[in-house]
């Protein structure tokens, strides 16, 4: 079923009649999808994520993709991955618990987190300090004074956390670009030398140079320079890969903001 549901969503645009959807599904040559189409649609419709909504009853029903909910879930998943990467799986568990409970007191959180109380408290306050969860002071009813007068509720302001993470992404991008420029600038002489050698070798090869002549040209770059160049190239490749990942995160979070 995991492969079938995405195929359904793929064919639902702004809104579509189920009869038309059945015609489109036939083109997939996927008998299981065609046979259980309405059941799959119902499963997605009643799912808590609400990716697909029934918006009409004509011709057997009319459905549309709820893009707002879809990008909302993508934003949550992105932040969950970030919390896991930065603080570990246990911190991510606390993050998800607070999200699912909407608001929760520290004592309740410690009870359901399934980890030592001290560790749960430390991770909770770490997430709060880093801005991934928010804290609200509440007054207890019937208590007029003393340390039990107030307590703290933890919650997640998704818009606030998304905005904060977008700022982190831009800051990280700035650092990556600066680091990549530094690597290129500080090793410019060797990079240019390797480029000239590559061009010369290519030209000589086109004019019928022997293997010995090509080897002599290659030796113009010393072993130590080759080693340094490989190190620089690997560093630049890693930085470029990190930049792509951050760009992807920015894209998802920016799309979320556009829908909210």
């Amino acid at each position: 079923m995991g492969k079938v549901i995405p195929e359904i969503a793929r064919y639902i645009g702004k809104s579509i009649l189920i009869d038309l959807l059945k015609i489109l599904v036939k083109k997939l040559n996927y008998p299981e999808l065609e046979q259980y189409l309405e059941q799959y649609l119902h499963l997605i419709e009643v799912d808590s994520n609400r990716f697909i909504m029934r918006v009409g009853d004509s011709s057997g029903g009319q459905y549309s993709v709820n893009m707002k909910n879809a990008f909302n879930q993508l934003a949550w998943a992105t932040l969950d991955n970030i919390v896991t990467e930065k603080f570990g799986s246990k911190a991510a568990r606390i993050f998800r618990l607070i999200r699912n409970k909407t608001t929760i007191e520290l004592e309740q959180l410690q009870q359901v987190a399934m980890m030592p109380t001290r560790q749960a408290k430390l991770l909770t306050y770490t997430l709060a300090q880093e801005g991934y969860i928010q804290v609200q002071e509440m007054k207890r009813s019937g208590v007029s004074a003393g340390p039990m007068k107030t307590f703290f509720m933890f919650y997640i302001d998704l818009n606030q956390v998304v905005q904060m993470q977008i700022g982190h992404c831009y800051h990280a991008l700035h650092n990556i670009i600066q680091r990549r420029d530094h690597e290129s600038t500080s090793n410019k002489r060797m990079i240019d030398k390797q480029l000239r050698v590559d061009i010369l070798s290519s030209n000589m090869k086109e004019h019928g140079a022997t293997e010995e002549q090509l080897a002599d040209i290659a030796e113009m770059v010393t072993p130590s320079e080759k080693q340094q160049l490989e190190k620089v190239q690997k560093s630049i490749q890693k930085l470029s890969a990190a930049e792509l990942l951050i760009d992807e995160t920015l894209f998802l979070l920016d799309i979320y903001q556009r829908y909210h």
Side-chain angles (χ1 to χ4, degrees):
M1 187 175 70
K3 294 181 179 179
V4 175
I5 289 178
E7 292 293 345
I8 296 175
R10 175 185 168 197
Y11 279 90
I12 300 182
K14 186 175 181 181
S15 63
I16 189 170
L17 296 173
I18 191 169
D19 289 345
L20 178 57
L21 183 59
K22 288 178 179 179
I23 295 173
L24 294 172
V25 165
K26 283 185 178 181
K27 297 180 180 180
L28 291 174
N29 193 26
Y30 204 146
E32 182 183 359
L33 176 58
E34 185 177 351
Q35 182 180 359
Y36 299 107
L37 176 62
E38 293 190 35
Q39 290 92 324
Y40 287 134
L41 283 171
H42 178 70
L43 284 174
I44 306 173
E45 181 188 357
V46 300
D47 184 80
S48 60
N49 291 321
R50 303 286 291 170
F51 289 138
I52 291 178
M53 299 186 303
R54 190 183 182 99
V55 294
D57 297 318
S58 59
S59 300
Q62 189 173 5
Y63 292 86
S64 70
V65 173
N66 189 326
M67 298 302 295
K68 182 176 180 178
N69 280 355
F71 285 114
N72 185 73
Q73 294 302 319
L74 282 172
W76 278 116
T78 300
L79 292 173
D80 187 275
N81 289 335
I82 291 170
V83 170
T84 302
E85 186 175 334
K86 291 184 70 173
F87 308 106
S89 59
K90 291 184 177 180
R93 187 191 310 165
I94 290 174
F95 183 79
R96 288 191 293 269
L97 283 171
I98 296 174
R99 172 198 171 184
N100 293 335
K101 294 289 185 179
T102 308
T103 59
I104 187 171
E105 194 176 353
L106 182 59
E107 291 182 2
Q108 295 175 313
L109 184 60
Q110 291 169 349
Q111 291 172 1
V112 297
M114 299 178 64
M115 66 181 71
T117 300
R118 184 176 179 181
Q119 186 179 31
K121 183 182 294 186
L122 176 62
L123 290 173
T124 302
Y125 282 120
T126 298
L127 289 173
Q129 186 177 14
E130 295 294 329
Y132 288 94
I133 62 176
Q134 285 67 50
V135 188
Q136 183 177 6
E137 185 177 359
M138 307 286 288
K139 290 185 178 180
R140 295 186 188 275
S141 58
V143 180
S144 58
M148 299 299 292
K149 181 180 178 181
T150 61
F151 64 100
F152 296 96
M153 297 293 290
F154 293 91
Y155 67 100
I156 299 174
D157 185 331
L158 183 57
N159 291 333
Q160 181 178 328
V161 178
V162 165
Q163 186 61 47
M164 177 194 72
Q165 192 58 48
I166 287 175
H168 290 341
C169 286
Y170 279 119
H171 181 70
L173 275 179
H174 173 75
N175 290 340
I176 286 174
I177 292 170
Q178 279 200 324
R179 181 61 187 175
R180 189 172 56 201
D181 289 345
H182 171 74
E183 290 285 352
S184 299
T185 302
S186 59
N187 295 280
K188 187 177 186 303
R189 185 190 63 81
M190 282 192 301
I191 294 173
D192 289 345
K193 182 179 179 180
Q194 180 66 63
L195 180 60
R196 290 194 299 270
V197 169
D198 290 342
I199 293 173
L200 178 59
S201 179
S202 178
N203 290 337
M204 292 293 290
K205 192 173 183 179
E206 288 179 1
H207 288 81
T210 64
E211 291 296 328
E212 185 178 355
Q213 289 174 320
L214 294 175
D216 289 339
I217 294 172
E219 288 177 359
M220 294 172 64
V221 180
T222 66
S224 61
E225 288 176 329
K226 289 180 180 179
Q227 186 177 7
Q228 180 63 20
L229 278 169
E230 288 179 2
K231 184 179 179 181
V232 171
Q233 288 169 353
K234 287 181 180 179
S235 177
I236 291 176
Q237 287 173 357
K238 287 181 179 179
L239 290 169
S240 297
E243 182 181 2
L244 287 174
L245 288 174
I246 294 173
D247 280 339
E248 181 180 331
T249 300
L250 271 173
F251 171 76
L252 292 174
L253 297 181
D254 183 61
I255 290 293
Y256 163 81
Q257 284 194 322
R258 290 175 184 270
Y259 276 90
H260 291 77

